[in-house]
């Protein structure tokens, strides 16, 4: 075997030694790919939320139509904990608690992680449900949220700072727009929560029981209203003389209803109220200070401004016009006497202003942000008032989430899209704000410029029910754009470094191979020249 062959063999051996050395170096401390081991979480013990107050709980899971699941309640000192323990939806590195009463109880959670790290926080601290969130990240990107602000989690949910759901309040919450894992759409997860006590129903006391032979007389008239006006909050009926004697007894405010009665038709009879669908979560029963009874009577359906709004059922429209809180709003009553309330519209379909009878899926208006939603993201506030609860007036609204999830979605063809129309809003700020939203509607529907639409303006009717008080979403800042998660990857150049070696070993191996190849080619040329001669 010639000298060139031996040099080539030697070069290959040196290259192999260099590669082995480089691989060993990378495995012993120069690499940055070493993963941090996942903590071993102890299982958080779940229980149903008690009727009494909760000053500090570690987490709560609110599933629509189910009892609230409380985790780590009451809060206490814990190490790494999660629920469920094997693949935690909620997890934290440690917990500390203090205080004894509901108003003084506090909890602090460190290294919080939701949905396997999609949402993380350095710490969550709260006293009686109100507190701070530090080091918040969404998919690894830092996020700063003020109270009430939200950040999207892809197309399936949102994270919110300082949220109240029913009688629960927490500084950090995640709401699901769509099913995620085993949790259905509308689920809310609250971290570091507190809960107000469940109001107890109390029978009125009577100072003169002998004057009445049949139960309580301290009540209002419960005769059902006519379907066309069933959505109005009925004025207090005249009470009897005996009832007037007991006015010193404080009447408990009506509470959100838990029942989900049938509307008399199969779910396929109804249509989702927003053309093409919308993003929404279960906010029914949430605290609202701008409403006389203090709670949210429906759901807010988010979509682009100008999105067509359709009739959920075949029926008759009423109260088409302006409301201080609802802005442009209307009511729809179906053939069974169920009423549906729409609020914050940008405008109406021209057709419905002269034709109150509509069919399911017919465009009746366009999604907007009028009323007290003027500074919020465009959305439709939607309520369901079953005929069964007409006697309760406006407080006969039920949670619409479970109904909406079963209703079919329609897409109205462009050739069937009506022209928008607006009514004349009250003078002052309502008129100015309605004009702004109207122009936004025209721009969204591509009706400005050469294709100006014929603006139909009609005088708004007088409000037939001066006591009508309608719930709208609380004013808050706009949403924050969603974050797209990124994954680390290694370039092809760095991959080859492992095999060719690094530092002086790699350079020597390359030089040796080059030299071996040179001598081998020279030897072949010399042998060829000798043969030819």
């Amino acid at each position: 075997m010639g000298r060139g062959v031996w040099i080539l063999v030697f070069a290959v051996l040196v290259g192999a030694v260099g590669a082995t050395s480089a691989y060993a170096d990378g495995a012993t401390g120069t690499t940055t790919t070493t993963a941090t081991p996942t903590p071993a979480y102890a299982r958080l013990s779940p229980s149903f939320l008690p009727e009494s107050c909760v000053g500090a709980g570690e987490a709560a899971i609110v599933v629509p139509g189910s009892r609230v699941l409380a985790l780590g309640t009451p809060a206490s000192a814990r190490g790494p904990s999660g629920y469920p323990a094997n693949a935690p939806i909620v997890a934290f590195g440690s917990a500390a608690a203090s205080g004894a009463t509901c108003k003084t109880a506090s909890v602090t959670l460190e290294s919080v992680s939701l949905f396997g790290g999609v949402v993380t926080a350095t710490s969550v601290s709260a006293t009686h449900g109100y507190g701070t969130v530090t080091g918040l990240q969404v998919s690894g990107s830092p996020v700063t949220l003020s109270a009430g602000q939200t950040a999207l989690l892809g197309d399936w949910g949102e994270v919110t700072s300082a949220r109240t759901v029913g009688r629960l309040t927490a500084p950090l919450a995640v709401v699901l727009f769509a099913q995620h894992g085993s949790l259905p759409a509308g689920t809310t997860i609250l971290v570091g929560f507190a809960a107000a006590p469940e109001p107890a129903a109390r029978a009125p006391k009577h100072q003169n029981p002998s004057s009445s032979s049949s139960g309580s007389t301290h009540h209002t008239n419960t005769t059902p209203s006519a379907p066309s006006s069933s959505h109005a909050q009925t004025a207090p009926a005249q009470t009897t003389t005996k009832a007037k004697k007991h006015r010193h007894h404080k009447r408990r405010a009506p509470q959100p209803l838990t029942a989900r009665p049938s509307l008399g038709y199969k779910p396929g009879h109804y249509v989702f109220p927003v053309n093409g669908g919308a993003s929404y979560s279960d906010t029914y029963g949430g605290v609202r200070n701008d409403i006389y009874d203090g709670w949210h009577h429906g759901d807010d359906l988010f979509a682009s401004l100008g999105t067509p709004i359709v009739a959920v059922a075949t029926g008759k429209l009423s109260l088409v016009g302006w409301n201080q809180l609802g802005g442009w709003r209307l009511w729809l009553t179906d053939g069974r006497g169920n009423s549906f309330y729409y609020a914050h519209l940008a405008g109406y379909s021209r057709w419905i202003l002269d034709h109150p009878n509509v069919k399911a899926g017919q465009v009746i208006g366009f999604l907007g942000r009028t009323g007290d939603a003027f500074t919020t993201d465009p959305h439709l506030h939607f309520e369901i008032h079953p005929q069964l609860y007409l006697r309760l007036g406006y407080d006969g609204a039920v949670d619409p989430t479970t109904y909406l999830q079963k209703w079919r979605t329609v897409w109205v063809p462009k050739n069937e899209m009506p022209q928008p129309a607006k009514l004349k809003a009250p003078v002052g700020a309502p008129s100015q704000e309605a004009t702004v939203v109207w122009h936004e509607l025209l721009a969204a529907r591509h009706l400005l410029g050469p294709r100006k639409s014929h603006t139909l303006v009609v005088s708004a009717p007088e409000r037939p029910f001066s006591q009508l008080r309608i719930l709208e979403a609380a004013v808050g800042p706009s949403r924050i754009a969603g974050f797209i998660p990124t994954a680390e990857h290694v370039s092809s150049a760095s991959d080859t470094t492992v095999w060719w070696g690094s530092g002086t070993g790699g350079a020597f191996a390359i030089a040796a191979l080059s030299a071996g190849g040179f001598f081998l080619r020279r030897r072949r040329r010399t042998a060829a020249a000798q043969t030819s001669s």
Side-chain angles (χ1 to χ4, degrees), residues 405-424:
Q405 291 171 349
K406 298 177 181 179
W407 292 354
R408 58 190 174 94
T409 302
V410 299
W411 287 263
V412 179
K414 290 184 179 180
N415 60 352
E416 297 181 10
M417 196 66 62
Q419 290 289 327
K422 67 174 181 178
L423 300 174
K424 185 177 180 180

Short mmCIF file of all heavy atoms in Angstrom, two decimals, residues 405-424:
data_model
loop_
_atom_site.label_atom_id
_atom_site.label_comp_id
_atom_site.label_asym_id
_atom_site.label_seq_id
_atom_site.Cartn_x
_atom_site.Cartn_y
_atom_site.Cartn_z
N GLN A 405 -74.73 27.22 21.21
CA GLN A 405 -73.84 26.14 20.79
C GLN A 405 -74.55 25.11 19.91
O GLN A 405 -73.90 24.39 19.15
CB GLN A 405 -73.24 25.45 22.02
CG GLN A 405 -72.26 26.33 22.79
CD GLN A 405 -71.85 25.72 24.11
OE1 GLN A 405 -72.44 24.73 24.57
NE2 GLN A 405 -70.84 26.30 24.75
N LYS A 406 -75.86 25.03 20.01
CA LYS A 406 -76.62 24.02 19.26
C LYS A 406 -77.25 24.58 17.98
O LYS A 406 -77.74 23.82 17.15
CB LYS A 406 -77.70 23.42 20.15
CG LYS A 406 -77.16 22.69 21.37
CD LYS A 406 -78.30 22.17 22.25
CE LYS A 406 -77.76 21.46 23.48
NZ LYS A 406 -78.86 20.96 24.36
N TRP A 407 -77.29 25.90 17.86
CA TRP A 407 -77.96 26.49 16.70
C TRP A 407 -77.07 26.47 15.47
O TRP A 407 -75.84 26.57 15.57
CB TRP A 407 -78.37 27.93 17.02
CG TRP A 407 -79.45 28.03 18.06
CD1 TRP A 407 -80.14 27.01 18.63
CD2 TRP A 407 -79.94 29.24 18.66
NE1 TRP A 407 -81.05 27.47 19.54
CE2 TRP A 407 -80.95 28.84 19.58
CE3 TRP A 407 -79.66 30.58 18.51
CZ2 TRP A 407 -81.65 29.77 20.35
CZ3 TRP A 407 -80.36 31.51 19.27
CH2 TRP A 407 -81.35 31.10 20.18
N ARG A 408 -77.69 26.35 14.33
CA ARG A 408 -76.95 26.29 13.06
C ARG A 408 -76.51 27.68 12.62
O ARG A 408 -77.15 28.68 12.93
CB ARG A 408 -77.80 25.64 11.98
CG ARG A 408 -79.13 26.33 11.72
CD ARG A 408 -80.03 25.49 10.81
NE ARG A 408 -81.36 26.10 10.68
CZ ARG A 408 -81.70 26.90 9.70
NH1 ARG A 408 -80.81 27.21 8.74
NH2 ARG A 408 -82.92 27.41 9.63
N THR A 409 -75.40 27.71 11.89
CA THR A 409 -74.86 28.97 11.38
C THR A 409 -75.19 29.11 9.90
O THR A 409 -75.12 28.13 9.15
CB THR A 409 -73.33 29.01 11.58
OG1 THR A 409 -73.04 28.85 12.97
CG2 THR A 409 -72.75 30.32 11.09
N VAL A 410 -75.55 30.31 9.47
CA VAL A 410 -75.88 30.56 8.07
C VAL A 410 -74.91 31.58 7.48
O VAL A 410 -74.28 32.36 8.20
CB VAL A 410 -77.33 31.08 7.91
CG1 VAL A 410 -78.33 30.07 8.41
CG2 VAL A 410 -77.49 32.42 8.64
N TRP A 411 -74.77 31.53 6.15
CA TRP A 411 -74.00 32.51 5.39
C TRP A 411 -74.92 33.09 4.33
O TRP A 411 -75.33 32.39 3.40
CB TRP A 411 -72.79 31.86 4.73
CG TRP A 411 -71.69 31.51 5.70
CD1 TRP A 411 -70.58 32.25 5.98
CD2 TRP A 411 -71.58 30.34 6.51
NE1 TRP A 411 -69.79 31.62 6.91
CE2 TRP A 411 -70.38 30.44 7.25
CE3 TRP A 411 -72.39 29.21 6.68
CZ2 TRP A 411 -69.98 29.46 8.15
CZ3 TRP A 411 -71.98 28.24 7.57
CH2 TRP A 411 -70.78 28.38 8.29
N VAL A 412 -75.29 34.31 4.49
CA VAL A 412 -76.23 34.96 3.57
C VAL A 412 -75.51 35.29 2.26
O VAL A 412 -74.46 35.93 2.28
CB VAL A 412 -76.81 36.24 4.19
CG1 VAL A 412 -77.76 36.92 3.23
CG2 VAL A 412 -77.51 35.91 5.52
N PRO A 413 -76.05 34.87 1.09
CA PRO A 413 -75.43 35.19 -0.20
C PRO A 413 -75.37 36.70 -0.43
O PRO A 413 -76.22 37.46 0.05
CB PRO A 413 -76.35 34.51 -1.22
CG PRO A 413 -77.09 33.47 -0.44
CD PRO A 413 -77.25 34.02 0.94
N LYS A 414 -74.36 37.14 -1.17
CA LYS A 414 -74.20 38.57 -1.42
C LYS A 414 -75.41 39.17 -2.15
O LYS A 414 -75.78 40.31 -1.91
CB LYS A 414 -72.92 38.81 -2.23
CG LYS A 414 -71.64 38.54 -1.45
CD LYS A 414 -70.42 38.88 -2.29
CE LYS A 414 -69.14 38.64 -1.50
NZ LYS A 414 -67.93 38.97 -2.31
N ASN A 415 -75.99 38.38 -3.04
CA ASN A 415 -77.12 38.93 -3.81
C ASN A 415 -78.39 39.05 -2.96
O ASN A 415 -79.38 39.63 -3.40
CB ASN A 415 -77.40 38.05 -5.03
CG ASN A 415 -77.74 36.62 -4.67
OD1 ASN A 415 -77.63 36.21 -3.52
ND2 ASN A 415 -78.14 35.84 -5.66
N GLU A 416 -78.37 38.53 -1.74
CA GLU A 416 -79.51 38.66 -0.83
C GLU A 416 -79.22 39.64 0.30
O GLU A 416 -80.04 39.78 1.21
CB GLU A 416 -79.89 37.30 -0.25
CG GLU A 416 -80.34 36.29 -1.30
CD GLU A 416 -80.72 34.96 -0.69
OE1 GLU A 416 -80.81 34.89 0.57
OE2 GLU A 416 -80.92 33.99 -1.44
N MET A 417 -78.07 40.32 0.23
CA MET A 417 -77.70 41.24 1.30
C MET A 417 -78.45 42.55 1.15
O MET A 417 -78.38 43.21 0.11
CB MET A 417 -76.19 41.49 1.27
CG MET A 417 -75.65 42.10 2.55
SD MET A 417 -75.79 40.99 3.97
CE MET A 417 -74.75 39.63 3.43
N PRO A 418 -79.20 42.98 2.16
CA PRO A 418 -79.99 44.22 2.03
C PRO A 418 -79.12 45.46 2.23
O PRO A 418 -78.00 45.39 2.76
CB PRO A 418 -81.01 44.09 3.17
CG PRO A 418 -80.28 43.30 4.21
CD PRO A 418 -79.42 42.32 3.46
N GLN A 419 -79.63 46.59 1.82
CA GLN A 419 -78.98 47.87 2.06
C GLN A 419 -79.21 48.28 3.52
O GLN A 419 -80.28 48.06 4.08
CB GLN A 419 -79.54 48.95 1.13
CG GLN A 419 -79.16 48.76 -0.32
CD GLN A 419 -77.68 49.06 -0.55
OE1 GLN A 419 -77.11 49.90 0.10
NE2 GLN A 419 -77.09 48.34 -1.49
N PRO A 420 -78.18 48.87 4.16
CA PRO A 420 -78.38 49.31 5.55
C PRO A 420 -79.18 50.60 5.64
O PRO A 420 -79.23 51.39 4.69
CB PRO A 420 -76.94 49.52 6.04
CG PRO A 420 -76.17 49.86 4.81
CD PRO A 420 -76.80 49.07 3.69
N ALA A 421 -79.80 50.81 6.76
CA ALA A 421 -80.55 52.03 7.02
C ALA A 421 -80.38 52.40 8.48
O ALA A 421 -80.10 51.54 9.33
CB ALA A 421 -82.02 51.83 6.70
N LYS A 422 -80.52 53.67 8.79
CA LYS A 422 -80.42 54.11 10.17
C LYS A 422 -81.62 54.96 10.54
O LYS A 422 -82.27 55.56 9.68
CB LYS A 422 -79.14 54.90 10.40
CG LYS A 422 -79.09 56.25 9.68
CD LYS A 422 -77.84 57.02 10.09
CE LYS A 422 -77.79 58.38 9.40
NZ LYS A 422 -76.62 59.17 9.81
N LEU A 423 -81.89 55.00 11.82
CA LEU A 423 -82.93 55.86 12.35
C LEU A 423 -82.30 57.14 12.87
O LEU A 423 -81.07 57.29 12.87
CB LEU A 423 -83.69 55.14 13.47
CG LEU A 423 -84.40 53.84 13.07
CD1 LEU A 423 -84.98 53.16 14.30
CD2 LEU A 423 -85.48 54.10 12.04
N LYS A 424 -83.12 58.05 13.32
CA LYS A 424 -82.62 59.30 13.86
C LYS A 424 -82.39 59.13 15.36
O LYS A 424 -83.32 58.92 16.12
CB LYS A 424 -83.62 60.42 13.61
CG LYS A 424 -83.12 61.79 14.04
CD LYS A 424 -84.14 62.87 13.69
CE LYS A 424 -83.64 64.25 14.11
NZ LYS A 424 -84.63 65.31 13.78
#
